[in-house]
Amino acid sequence: MESFTAGSPGTILNGWLNATDDDGDWFVESDGTTNSSDTGPLDDHTPKGSLYIYYEATGGDPGDVSELTSPCIDLSVLSNPRLGFWYHMYGEDMGTLEVYAVGDAGPSLLFSISGEQQTDETDPWIEAQASLAGLGSTIQLIFKSTRGADFTSDIAVDDIEIFDFAPTDLALIGISPNELTCADSNATVNIVLENAGSDSLDLAATPVSVDLEVIGGATPQTLSGTVNSGGLLTGQSTVISISGVNFEGSTNYSLTAVVAPFTGNNNATNDTIRANVTVVPAISTFPYTEGFENGDGGWTSSGVNNSW
């Protein structure tokens, strides 16, 4: 997977190159927004941890094209190669993102989308996938941005992955709470399970379980949840809810969810998801007043250029 963590803001490494005969460049950005207001994501796709690439629309002209080319990718060891990546396209003048593969048969368009796909910088990233089968033993990827009418056209991409599209592949793609929560001795943790394989799943015939480890508080907790009804087509997801989690007050917790062993699910790279959760104090005495004479009183602050 390429998450651009080996680079630094403004520097792209690992063999990825900007074209020299186009109209602009892609840049690496750290956790946070792009250099323009009202466009781009608030954070990278990987929560609180890395970098992403983006096309900066400021200073360009409508219709400007910028291309980022990958290193050469040897697909010969994969039976059913597939591309996956995440994108963020917030901005009222959003342009177009295209992805090409250049192989033995020349360039092939894998993906194309135009216009604003998120309506706020805090909206979640969106995943895209495309088959790389039949394109040749060695390819290069090209991420191509076309600028919209004005500067609110920053396009961001993160976590580019090449993988073997196995018949059975279960992936954990979301967990909540994932940052803050109130104290609760019987809380519920929701985990999003995706069918990342090529075959449909009959969950009634073959239930899927997820194990959850919660570290923090007085005693480590180990719980599990199971989904045993319905079906999942390729790319579909479902939520497994695990109740009975004890979040004690004013404590930091680390959550680790793992797909339990499942026949044919041999890709372990997407079987685990983690989150760090802080339990904020509960107010139970009224009337309630807060004058901040003794600290923040459990209040938290966030936002772009946060100054609270």
Side-chain angles (χ1 to χ4, degrees), residues 30 41 49 84 87 147 165 169 192 199 204 218 221 234 240 266 293 300:
S30 62
Y87 64 91
R147 186 185 186 272
F165 196 29
D169 186 13
V192 183
D199 289 352
Q221 304 168 66
T234 296
I240 297 179
N266 298 318
E293 269 72 30
T300 59

Side-chain angles (χ1 to χ4, degrees), residues 71-132:
C72 293
I73 301 169
D74 182 2
L75 301 178
S76 62
V77 298
L78 302 179
S79 300
N80 190 9
R82 195 167 183 86
L83 165 69
F85 64 93
W86 296 78
Y87 64 91
H88 202 287
M89 298 172 66
Y90 159 57
E92 65 179 2
D93 296 303
M94 185 55 59
T96 298
L97 172 65
E98 296 171 298
V99 182
Y100 292 85
V102 181
D104 297 341
S108 299
L109 178 63
L110 304 177
F111 176 85
S112 179
I113 194 166
S114 299
E116 187 176 47
Q117 304 302 309
Q118 284 92 347
T119 58
D120 190 85
E121 61 188 6
T122 61
D123 287 348
W125 292 65
I126 301 172
E127 184 183 22
Q129 291 191 8
S131 174
L132 301 174

Side-chain angles (χ1 to χ4, degrees), residues 50-279:
S50 66
L51 308 169
Y52 61 89
I53 56 168
Y54 80 101
Y55 162 69
E56 175 58 66
T58 301
D61 295 316
D64 278 357
V65 170
S66 297
E67 295 184 352
L68 181 71
T69 302
S70 76
C72 293
I73 301 169
D74 182 2
L75 301 178
S76 62
V77 298
L78 302 179
S79 300
N80 190 9
R82 195 167 183 86
L83 165 69
F85 64 93
W86 296 78
Y87 64 91
H88 202 287
M89 298 172 66
Y90 159 57
E92 65 179 2
D93 296 303
M94 185 55 59
T96 298
L97 172 65
E98 296 171 298
V99 182
Y100 292 85
V102 181
D104 297 341
S108 299
L109 178 63
L110 304 177
F111 176 85
S112 179
I113 194 166
S114 299
E116 187 176 47
Q117 304 302 309
Q118 284 92 347
T119 58
D120 190 85
E121 61 188 6
T122 61
D123 287 348
W125 292 65
I126 301 172
E127 184 183 22
Q129 291 191 8
S131 174
L132 301 174
L135 299 179
S137 59
T138 302
I139 66 166
Q140 285 183 285
L141 298 172
I142 298 176
F143 283 77
K144 176 182 176 182
S145 65
T146 302
R147 186 185 186 272
D150 210 338
F151 76 93
T152 54
S153 184
D154 292 354
I155 298 173
V157 172
D158 200 7
D159 292 339
I160 301 169
E161 182 179 14
I162 308 293
F163 58 96
D164 213 354
F165 196 29
T168 302
D169 186 13
L170 302 173
L172 298 185
I173 62 172
I175 184 170
S176 63
N178 59 9
E179 187 169 357
L180 300 173
T181 190
C182 293
D184 190 344
S185 61
N186 188 27
T188 297
V189 173
N190 293 311
I191 300 161
V192 183
L193 174 76
E194 180 185 63
N195 178 8
S198 59
D199 289 352
S200 300
L201 296 177
D202 183 350
L203 299 174
T206 52
V208 177
S209 296
V210 171
D211 297 324
L212 175 67
E213 182 182 49
V214 182
I215 303 298
T219 306
Q221 304 168 66
T222 301
L223 307 97
S224 64
T226 301
V227 56
N228 55 13
S229 62
L232 280 182
L233 302 176
T234 296
Q236 285 188 330
S237 61
T238 188
V239 175
I240 297 179
S241 296
I242 300 178
S243 59
V245 180
N246 184 10
F247 286 129
E248 299 175 291
S250 302
T251 304
N252 296 322
Y253 290 85
S254 62
L255 280 56
T256 302
V258 182
V259 178
F262 188 86
T263 302
N265 183 39
N266 298 318
N267 177 19
T269 62
N270 54 11
D271 287 356
T272 302
I273 192 167
R274 296 178 173 86
N276 294 314
V277 177
T278 298
V279 176

